[in-house]
Structures are given as structure tokens and as C-alpha cells.
Amino acid sequence: MILIDDMLAAAFQYRDTELWKELTDSDVFAFRLSDGETGYCCVMGNAGEHLALGFYRGRKGFTTYLKTISLGNEHLSEIEMFEMTTTFDCINCDFMQASDMDVKTKKIVRNYADAHKLKIRRSKGWPDFTRHQPGKMQYGITRMEDARDIVEALHAAIAVAAKVTSSDFARLGFDINGHYPTAKGGKSVPYLIPNADGTYDWHTTQLPAFLPDECVAPKFTNDILAGEMKKLPVSGTLQMKYFHMPMPVDAGEDEAPYLPVALLCLETVNELLFPVFAQDVSNDNSEELLLGLVNALRKRGDKPRAIEVEDNKTELLLKDFCSRCGIRLSRKKELPEINNACFFLFSNFMM
């Protein structure tokens, strides 16, 4: 985990601005990163509960922000909400109570504060950096590029704090009505361009539109296994669902733990339930999942006449596999049986 002095210096300075008293989480602003990419920031804490600066890199990262503001408006199940969080791509600089801090991180922060004669505020004054990456558990920062980006984001936020108390809110580019950005994009927000002397030129830019998650239909290229599957006797219908398991798997020292994926299979006639897991969670796991499914079906001695799914991700995973193995794949609006089974498995791993 990376927690360098530049990160802590910027975090303590940002904490002292109390920018959340001036901005809400709808008042997004943008800035130019040193590598030319656009960064987007969201100030959290106006309600006094969660003090943080959220940083989103480029359009892909900003889509994470759009997802977070939609969570309260969508009727998502616990599993659907968890699946959405596994796609987040952002960095938070949070401010915590001392009792909520990791011991190792707390020691680093304390040593830095003592060395620089800084007083840590009693209420939510301990900086903590959290990296969210697709398919991984939230973790500390492990790449120097991410450390650089969040420091630049904090510096931009500090510059915003210095301006909003002395300049006209609307002239800076903020929306005086406080409307949230929308998925269609186009909202005008402040855009800060850094100068070599540490100052910023103020402009405006339009926020990007929502970027849908990239889902690719994998090819099932094992001709031998496809031939074997075609020859298996046919029996009944299986319902299937692809999802992440809430049990992080260690990915090595100072690396964010991965979230393993599972393909849950339910035989509709006798309610036989069996999951297929991918062991190699660090890479694309579609091939491993499909091979696991083949082995499970070969062990059973038959293949389903049809496979039913209700979501795009599972359908794409199975599309080429079913085509090559002589299995009919159908999309249903709702499959309560597989969802109930999925929730049971999910809840047991959450305990």
C-alpha cells in the first residue's frame, strides 16, 4: 500500500478547507491532470456524515459517479447493488474517526502529523485513501500513478475552496440550482487547468455521458469438448446466473484482493443446485467458467435442452457456448427461482 507524504500533506490541507460546507455532492468540478486526462471531483460531507473527496479519472471513472447517484433511485436487490459496486473505478480520500482506522495506516498518519506538528481533528480528521477497481475489493492505493492523481485532485479541490468563498458561484461555473449531472451528459461545470506556479486558470467544460459497462461474448474454442457436449443426452432446463462472490481472494502482497466469480446453475424440475467457480480470479475467467460448466455437465452425464437467463452478462457468457454445444439459450424477464438460490448462496458467504 502506498501512503506517501504528498498524499497526507494534501489531505490535511484539504480537510482544513471544509469545502463540504460550500459544495454538495452534486457540485462536480473538473480539472486537467498532469498527463492530459480530465479528472472529475465530487465533494462529500455536506450532511456531516461522510467527509470525503471522490476522484474519477476520465469518462470511465466519471461513470462510477453517475452510478453512485443512481443507486438510491433504482430498485436494486442486494446482489444487483453489489454487482454494480464491483464495476466502480475511482479513488476516495475519506476522513475517519481514529477508532475506524486500520492500525498500520493510523500509525503512518500519526507519525506524519507528529513530524509536521499537525493537530489531527477529533471528529473525522484521519485521512484514509481507498481505491475502487473493477472486480476487486476496495483497498489502499498500490500504484504511484493513482497516488499522483489523488494528490492532484486534492490540490484542485483546495484551489476550489479558495475561490468559492470569495467569488460568484455561478461565474465560477457551478449550477446555482444544485441539479445533479445526468446520464446523458452535457452539464457545464468548472474546469481547472493548472499552471507551473501552482495556480489555476478557470474555464468550464461539459460532463461526459454515461459509459455502459463493456460486456464481450467470449468464444468457446475447444472443438473437442464442444463435440463431446453435442453427443451428450438431453434432459430438462437449467437456469443460470453469473455473479461475483462477496469473499475476497488474496492477490499477493500489497495488491487489492479479487472478487471471485460464480456461475450458479439450477435444474428447474428437481431444484438441484450447483455452482461453478473460477479459481484464476486475476485474469479473464470466462473460459475457466465454461470449462467448469462442461466438467459439471459431463459428470452428470447429460446436458440441458435449454438454458434460461435473465441478464445480459450471463447471456453473453453462454451465447457462443450454447450455440456450439447444441443447447437452446433463452432470455427471460424474471427468474425468481435462480434469484432466490443466488441470494441464499450470496448471504451465506456474507456472514
Side-chain angles (χ1 to χ4, degrees):
M1 183 183 71
I2 296 172
L3 189 55
I4 57 177
D5 285 1
D6 285 351
M7 294 165 62
L8 293 174
F12 276 114
Q13 190 177 352
Y14 171 77
R15 175 66 178 82
D16 286 341
T17 69
E18 298 186 324
L19 182 56
W20 47 83
K21 292 183 177 180
E22 304 295 333
L23 302 184
T24 70
D25 59 356
S26 67
D27 298 317
V28 173
F29 60 89
F31 69 100
R32 182 183 293 169
L33 287 154
S34 57
D35 63 3
E37 180 62 275
T38 300
Y40 302 91
C41 289
C42 163
V43 176
M44 292 169 270
N46 189 258
E49 295 180 4
H50 178 209
L51 307 185
L53 180 73
F55 162 74
Y56 311 91
R57 180 181 172 85
R59 183 182 175 189
K60 182 180 178 182
F62 186 68
T63 291
T64 298
Y65 169 83
L66 294 173
K67 289 178 180 179
T68 60
I69 63 174
S70 71
L71 283 176
N73 301 324
E74 298 185 29
H75 301 289
L76 301 177
S77 67
E78 185 178 0
I79 296 173
E80 289 171 331
M81 192 171 295
F82 183 77
E83 279 299 305
M84 183 181 287
T85 65
T86 66
T87 67
F88 286 0
D89 190 355
C90 62
I91 303 173
N92 275 6
C93 175
D94 302 290
F95 294 90
M96 316 285 288
Q97 300 281 45
S99 58
D100 295 328
M101 291 289 289
D102 170 76
V103 174
K104 181 180 177 181
T105 304
K106 185 177 178 180
K107 183 177 180 180
I108 295 172
V109 175
R110 168 56 72 191
N111 289 342
Y112 176 87
D114 289 346
H116 293 81
K117 296 180 173 55
L118 296 175
K119 183 178 180 180
I120 301 177
R121 293 175 180 261
R122 287 187 176 274
S123 177
K124 300 176 183 176
W126 293 75
D128 191 29
F129 295 85
T130 306
R131 179 71 166 99
H132 298 261
Q133 299 179 74
K136 299 183 180 183
M137 282 291 291
Q138 61 184 48
Y139 197 68
I141 290 176
T142 60
R143 298 171 65 249
M144 285 304 299
E145 293 87 349
D146 288 337
R148 175 203 64 199
D149 285 354
I150 191 60
V151 168
E152 293 180 14
L154 287 163
H155 285 161
I158 293 165
V160 170
K163 277 279 192 179
V164 294
T165 57
S166 59
S167 302
D168 180 79
F169 199 70
R171 291 188 65 181
L172 291 176
F174 288 107
D175 177 7
I176 60 173
N177 296 312
H179 293 151
Y180 280 97
T182 63
K184 67 180 181 181
K187 182 179 181 179
S188 183
V189 298
Y191 178 49
L192 283 69
I193 299 178
N195 297 311
D197 62 0
T199 62
Y200 292 84
D201 292 331
W202 282 69
H203 302 270
T204 59
T205 190
Q206 292 188 334
L207 292 176
F210 183 87
L211 182 66
D213 295 331
E214 183 179 1
C215 293
V216 179
K219 299 293 183 181
F220 187 65
T221 58
N222 194 312
D223 295 333
I224 295 175
L225 290 181
E228 284 188 29
M229 290 296 296
K230 277 191 173 182
K231 295 176 182 177
L232 285 178
V234 175
S235 175
T237 299
L238 287 177
Q239 295 178 358
M240 295 190 185
K241 188 175 184 68
Y242 171 98
F243 67 106
H244 286 84
M245 297 296 297
M247 50 173 198
V249 176
D250 185 25
E253 186 176 358
D254 285 337
E255 286 294 329
Y258 284 86
L259 293 166
V261 295
L263 181 65
L264 192 59
C265 310
L266 175 67
E267 192 170 326
T268 56
V269 175
N270 57 20
E271 297 185 351
L272 175 66
L273 185 70
F274 60 95
V276 176
F277 295 102
Q279 300 299 321
D280 183 11
V281 294
S282 60
N283 299 305
D284 175 42
N285 44 50
S286 56
E287 182 178 355
E288 187 177 356
L289 276 178
L290 293 175
L291 290 176
L293 177 60
V294 168
N295 290 332
L297 295 176
R298 291 165 75 192
K299 188 177 294 185
R300 284 161 46 96
D302 60 24
K303 68 179 181 182
R305 177 176 290 102
I307 294 177
E308 298 177 341
V309 302
E310 67 168 12
D311 66 279
N312 186 55
K313 190 160 50 176
T314 310
E315 183 179 24
L316 288 176
L317 173 69
L318 297 169
K319 186 175 181 179
D320 189 64
F321 170 82
C322 288
S323 176
R324 297 208 61 201
C325 297
I327 302 171
R328 180 166 55 86
L329 179 64
S330 62
R331 178 81 171 262
K332 302 295 181 180
K333 186 176 181 180
E334 290 184 349
L335 294 174
E337 296 89 354
I338 191 70
N339 278 320
N340 290 338
C342 186
F343 179 74
F344 175 79
L345 183 65
F346 184 88
S347 298
N348 275 276
F349 277 102
M350 285 287 284
M351 296 174 65

